[in-house]
Each structure stands twice: as structure tokens, then as C-alpha cells.
Amino acid sequence: MSNGINVTSQNQVVTGVDQFSNGLTTYLNELGLPESNVLVPVPERSRVINNLPEVINLVDVNQRTTSIYLSKFIAACGAGLFDAALNFIWDETVVNLRKKVARFDLEYFYDSVVTDENRRKKLRDEDDLVKLDEWELVRGCHLTGILSDIGFKHLDYIRDMRNWASAAHPNQNELTGFQLISWLETCIREVIGKEPEGPAIEIKRFLGSIRNNALTLPDAVPINAGIEHLPPDLGTSLLRTLFGMYTGKAADARLKNNIKLVCNAAWNISPDEVKYECGLKYATFASNGEIDRRDSAREFLDAVNGLPFLPSDTLAVEISEKINNLYAAHIGFNNFHNEPSHARVLDSYVSNTGIIPESVRKAYVRTVVMSKIGNGHGVSTMAESYYDNMLQKFGEHEIKEFVTLLMNTEFSSRVALSACRSNYKALVAYFLPRTTNQITQQALQMINQSTDQQLPNLGKDTRFKQLIGSYSLS
């Protein structure tokens, strides 16, 4: 017996599908219910059924026995309910991602994706993974290296389609058999049939050594060498985790000594944004009266020469919280309804001068611009006036951050969508006459002259990266 489905079985399934559709149509007519546009046409279903064996064979035989949502996906496709089938693809992917996270390093994962201190305290073990929104799960897997850059971009798109073209909305006729089988193959290749590799495995090994051993200076040398070669996104996640471990209530002297041996390497490869984040957490501990954690945060910042990244006042802490709230509303489900209240509150924190504390400026610009250009399905009209008001207050510093957004993987994925790309270029045209900085002007012109195909990858273009790098020389 072969591992796949033989041709006779496929023909029998297709014939049975046709008979089922005819019978159901007759039954709906007898009940006086609508029968048109209920089920996807049989030829579309046949395209899925005929291509399934090759795709399913990408999944390990032992793993198939527990892949219940793949069975439900096939059943939904056969029944002609493509919108439900899309849900089942996503459900299988989410279940698989949770299993991978649980086997990987839960503390590292939670520290990477959840920056709100109060919420982080409630996330402890595998059972708490269901408390994360699905977009957080996908983003966290990308931040920790469980998902590759290309895997993240594919899954972010499939998640978006699941939100807008699944059974939650009456759009099933827009889905085709080839689309579904392609999305299934992507989820299998990038998630279901793939394990973390490369730098992600290295980080798991680093963290295991730091938690379980008493390290000496010679022990730390190869660890630091490995950290120095990590991609920036993974370096960011590692620094968050080391800071979280060091300031945790359970941190003992051995663990802190281990972290001191490697924290400088993680600090040096991380962007300023996450360094300011550590400074903000110090201020949060202080304002909440968490003296032990405040002192530990100060020790950590001392060890990495990070005291210049402490916030100047508590305003930065307040604004950071409002930015996180708006970002969560924008990226979450039913965002058009949820965004306005958070946008209004954030706008109220920005004075007429438009001055934003340096420690939260990057996150502020990214969140406001992402909300303004939309998610590919539109922009929250009730929140748009607040976004326009905040964009109107952008000064040279904020416009500089605006042009560097294409260096961010999540943002570059967003402008791959035509509607977002169009809105982004409209903002480029808006800011071009408002800046006198020559580097910023050149960057805006490069963005403006990029084709639709070039724009999502412009952040990786050597010329663009060199131009952005010249900010530090000016």
C-alpha cells in the first residue's frame, strides 16, 4: 500500500462530492432555503482533492495521526465549504506553533513577545499560550527564530486572509481550490513539517547553559562569539530575556553572575529601541515601588553601560503604554472598532510641539504610521483624524524614523499589500516638502521612485542601507 491516496480513491471521492452536492441542493430546495452560493463548485473542490496527496506527503507519517484539523480541512473542502477549510488550515498551524514553543523555551518566548510587565507575570507555562492572541503567537515565533522571515510573511498574509475571507465573513466564493492548496502547502513547509534551526537552536543552548550551569569567563567566550553573529531580531529577543531573567524575583547570585558574563554581547548587537525598553522597565519598577526589581534593573544597566537609556521622566512610561495599547488594537481582530479610543488617548499625550521622548519615538512612529496606512482592508475611519493630527506634528526626528521603517520586517511585510503601499507613498509625498535634512530627503526620494515590487525589499537594498547608515555620521 502506498503512503499517498491512489487515483481510484480520488475518483471515488470526487464522484461522492458531486452526488453530495446534488443531494444537498435538492434538500435545501425542499426546505425553501437558498441553495446558490452555498457550496463552492465541484471543479474547485476537485482541484484541492487532486493535489492533496503530494502536499499531505510533506507531513511526517507519525505526525499525521494527530493532525485532526488537516482531516477537518479535507472534509470541509470536499463539502464545498472553503471558508471553513481556511479556518482549519489556520487552526492546525496554531496548534503546531504552540507545541513548538512549548518544546523550545517558554520563558524566552514570553519575554520576547509580551513587553507589558503586568501581563507577563500571568504567563508561566504551556497552558498559558492560549492567552496570547494568534497574531502574538506568530509574531513571537518570528522574534524567537521559530519562524523564518519568509515564513512569517507568508503566515501573516494567511492569518489576514483567515480574518477576512474565512467563515467569519460571507466571502467563500472568492476562495479557489488552488489558493487553499497553496496555503496548506505553505503552512506545512514553514510550520507543520519544519523544526526550528540555526540561530534559534543556538539561543536555546545559550539559555540552557545560563540557567543550569555556573559559568566561568572561559565558558562565556564561545557563547559571546555565538551571540555576536545572531540576526538583529533574535538579538533583540535575547536581550529582553536576559533582562527579564536578571530582574526576576527568582534570580539568584549564580544566575546573575552568568548573565553578567554574556549580557554585553547581547546589548551590543541590539537596536536602541530595545535598550530604551530596558530603561523604561527600570522606570516602571521604580514607579510601582518594586524596589528589588528596580535595583536589579539598575545593576543590569550598569553592567552594559546602559544608563544613558534611562527615560528622562515618567511621561515616556505613560506614552509607551498607550502605544502598546494602540498597536494591540490595530493588529488584533475587529480593529476598526477598537482603534479609535486608543488613538484618541495617545493623541492626547502629544503636545502641540509634537515632541516625543526619544525612548519611545521609534515605536510611536511605527505604530501611528502602520495604523494610518491600514492593514490591506482599509483604515479605521473613526480613528483616522487622530492619526492625521499626530502625523501633522511629526518633526525632523519623527520623519527620520519614518524613512527607516522599511528596515523593520513587520512593516516591510505590510507595504507588500497594494492598498498599504499606496497609503505609505502618499505619506512619503506629504513629508517630502516638510524636511530640510538632506539624508531624509534622499531617502524619501528613493522610496518614492521605487516600484511596487522593489518597495517591500528596499530596507535590504545596499544603497538604501548605506544612506540610512549615514545618519550616524551626520
Side-chain angles (χ1 to χ4, degrees):
M1 181 177 292
S2 67
N3 289 331
I5 302 174
N6 61 48
V7 176
T8 303
S9 297
Q10 289 179 21
N11 289 337
Q12 289 174 344
V13 170
V14 172
T15 301
V17 163
D18 201 13
Q19 292 172 346
F20 169 79
S21 297
N22 292 334
L24 181 64
T25 299
T26 301
Y27 185 55
L28 291 174
N29 277 324
E30 290 175 358
L31 294 175
L33 292 172
E35 49 85 14
S36 61
N37 295 326
V38 174
L39 303 179
V40 172
V42 172
E44 288 295 333
R45 288 181 256 174
S46 298
R47 291 188 178 100
V48 178
I49 293 167
N50 291 333
N51 285 281
L52 269 171
E54 279 191 60
V55 176
I56 294 298
N57 278 336
L58 296 172
V59 183
D60 181 79
V61 174
N62 294 326
Q63 191 176 350
R64 288 183 222 170
T65 59
T66 59
S67 300
I68 184 66
Y69 289 109
L70 291 184
S71 295
K72 291 187 176 186
F73 164 79
I74 295 171
C77 288
L81 298 172
F82 278 13
D83 48 359
L86 179 53
N87 268 337
F88 291 136
I89 292 177
W90 186 251
D91 290 342
E92 185 68 37
T93 301
V94 166
V95 167
N96 191 274
L97 283 176
R98 286 175 181 156
K99 289 178 180 177
K100 282 183 169 60
V101 169
R103 294 198 308 271
F104 192 58
D105 192 299
L106 274 170
E107 187 174 344
Y108 170 54
F109 179 84
Y110 285 139
D111 284 337
S112 299
V113 73
V114 180
T115 56
D116 180 84
E117 195 65 31
N118 292 325
R119 189 169 169 230
R120 173 65 183 90
K121 293 175 184 176
K122 301 174 184 177
L123 302 172
R124 297 183 179 87
D125 53 30
E126 180 180 353
D127 294 337
D128 293 326
L129 284 169
V130 297
K131 297 177 182 178
L132 297 179
D133 288 339
E134 290 170 357
W135 68 266
E136 289 180 301
L137 178 69
V138 173
R139 179 169 171 267
C141 287
H142 179 236
L143 288 173
T144 53
I146 295 174
L147 269 179
S148 65
D149 285 352
I150 190 69
F152 169 73
K153 287 187 177 183
H154 280 310
L155 252 62
D156 195 44
Y157 175 71
I158 294 171
R159 179 191 67 84
D160 203 40
M161 290 303 297
R162 180 258 189 184
N163 284 346
W164 290 93
S166 71
H169 299 275
N171 296 327
Q172 67 174 31
N173 290 327
E174 296 180 7
L175 302 177
T176 69
F178 285 140
Q179 282 178 319
L180 278 184
I181 203 71
S182 173
W183 292 335
L184 175 63
E185 181 182 14
T186 295
C187 289
I188 288 174
R189 287 190 181 278
E190 295 296 337
V191 179
I192 299 168
K194 185 178 181 180
E195 292 299 319
E197 55 189 28
I201 299 301
E202 285 294 295
I203 286 183
K204 182 178 181 180
R205 185 170 61 81
F206 297 159
L207 293 175
S209 297
I210 291 166
R211 290 194 182 103
N212 303 320
N213 303 319
L215 301 180
T216 63
L217 190 58
D219 295 329
V221 171
I223 294 178
N224 286 327
I227 291 174
E228 288 171 3
H229 291 92
L230 288 176
D233 286 347
L234 297 191
T236 293
S237 298
L238 180 60
L239 179 59
R240 282 180 178 147
T241 300
L242 293 176
F243 183 86
M245 291 164 63
Y246 197 94
T247 58
K249 294 180 179 178
D252 57 21
R254 179 186 58 79
L255 178 61
K256 287 188 172 183
N257 287 333
N258 287 347
I259 293 173
K260 284 179 180 177
L261 291 173
V262 301
C263 60
N264 272 287
W267 182 270
N268 291 337
I269 67 166
S270 297
D272 286 354
E273 182 178 7
V274 72
K275 296 175 183 178
Y276 280 117
E277 191 178 289
C278 293
L280 281 168
K281 286 186 177 180
Y282 167 85
T284 302
F285 297 151
S287 63
N288 290 341
E290 298 180 83
I291 306 303
D292 290 342
R293 300 193 73 188
R294 179 203 65 189
D295 292 345
S296 292
R298 181 73 179 224
E299 287 176 14
F300 186 95
L301 292 170
D302 273 329
V304 295
N305 297 317
L307 293 180
F309 291 88
L310 287 173
S312 58
D313 51 46
T314 57
L315 176 64
V317 178
E318 296 281 343
I319 291 180
S320 177
E321 179 186 354
K322 309 312 173 190
I323 291 169
N324 289 336
N325 291 343
L326 175 57
Y327 180 80
H330 172 67
I331 205 75
F333 196 70
N334 204 17
N335 63 298
F336 292 165
H337 175 74
N338 294 328
E339 285 182 38
S341 60
H342 296 294
R344 176 179 54 79
V345 172
L346 178 58
D347 184 35
S348 70
Y349 273 81
V350 184
S351 69
N352 290 332
T353 63
I355 296 175
I356 298 293
E358 186 179 2
S359 55
V360 295
R361 185 181 295 134
K362 187 179 291 290
Y364 169 74
V365 170
R366 183 179 66 244
T367 300
V368 172
V369 173
M370 284 183 69
S371 301
K372 171 62 179 177
I373 69 174
N375 56 13
H377 300 283
V379 180
S380 175
T381 54
M382 292 186 292
E384 200 165 14
S385 62
Y386 300 115
Y387 301 144
D388 290 341
N389 196 38
M390 287 183 276
L391 290 165
Q392 199 173 46
K393 299 175 186 176
F394 274 23
E396 286 287 355
H397 292 300
E398 287 72 38
I399 301 175
K400 170 187 169 182
E401 294 296 345
F402 172 81
V403 301
T404 64
L405 284 174
L406 290 172
M407 314 289 283
N408 179 273
T409 303
E410 185 179 11
F411 190 83
S412 64
S413 177
R414 180 67 64 88
V415 296
L417 304 173
S418 61
C420 300
R421 186 167 56 245
S422 176
N423 291 338
Y424 177 62
K425 281 206 167 184
L427 287 179
V428 171
Y430 174 69
F431 287 128
L432 193 52
R434 296 185 53 191
T435 177
T436 57
N437 185 295
Q438 291 186 350
I439 299 173
T440 304
Q441 286 180 340
Q442 290 178 52
L444 288 170
Q445 288 166 354
M446 282 187 71
I447 295 169
N448 200 35
Q449 292 165 6
S450 297
T451 66
D452 290 350
Q453 290 72 32
Q454 292 171 335
L455 187 60
N457 297 309
L458 188 61
K460 298 178 181 179
D461 183 278
T462 302
R463 292 179 305 142
F464 188 78
K465 289 167 70 174
Q466 288 175 341
L467 181 61
I468 298 301
S470 60
Y471 274 123
S472 60
L473 305 175
S474 60

